[in-house]
Amino acid sequence: VQLQASGGGLVQAGGSLRLSCAASGVTSGLNAIGWYRQAPEKKREWVGAITTGGDTTYADFAKGRFSMSRDNTNNTVYLRMDSLEPEDTAVYYCNAGSMLGNMNYLSYNYWGQGTLVTVSS
């Protein structure tokens, strides 16, 4: 499994970014892609996930501001982030995993290299 995250950059507070995660080699048992982020000196935290069918689930802080979509023709998942805040500054990672029946995301140890998002105040 290979995951390539891209699209990070510097944006002013209130702005938007769209991150991409290009996936390859994902087996049928991995039916979802998740996004995580890690801010400086903080633990990595889950942002949300999207199934191969397009069902999504989000962390509370992401609801209403972040949205995920996917293009199955080129195996790419997108994370659209609106109304960005300085607190959203972090390295964002995509992950391959499974969505359980209760829409809980189970991550596996397949990670992209991360893309840095910096939100200036």
Side-chain angles (χ1 to χ4, degrees), residues 48-72:
I50 184 168
T51 68
T52 52
D55 294 324
T56 55
T57 182
Y58 300 95
D60 285 344
F61 71 82
K63 292 177 181 177
R65 296 192 301 127
F66 294 5
S67 63
M68 294 180 192
S69 60
R70 65 187 303 148
D71 181 347
N72 287 334

Side-chain angles (χ1 to χ4, degrees), residues 45-108:
E45 64 178 344
W46 177 72
V47 176
I50 184 168
T51 68
T52 52
D55 294 324
T56 55
T57 182
Y58 300 95
D60 285 344
F61 71 82
K63 292 177 181 177
R65 296 192 301 127
F66 294 5
S67 63
M68 294 180 192
S69 60
R70 65 187 303 148
D71 181 347
N72 287 334
T73 60
N74 61 15
N75 297 319
T76 300
V77 167
Y78 302 99
L79 174 64
R80 166 83 180 191
M81 304 184 294
D82 296 316
S83 301
L84 284 163
E85 304 166 350
E87 293 73 22
D88 296 315
T89 294
V91 177
Y92 285 72
Y93 299 90
C94 54
N95 169 269
S98 296
M99 194 78 81
L100 306 179
N102 55 359
M103 291 300 286
N104 283 333
Y105 181 72
L106 176 64
S107 67
Y108 286 73

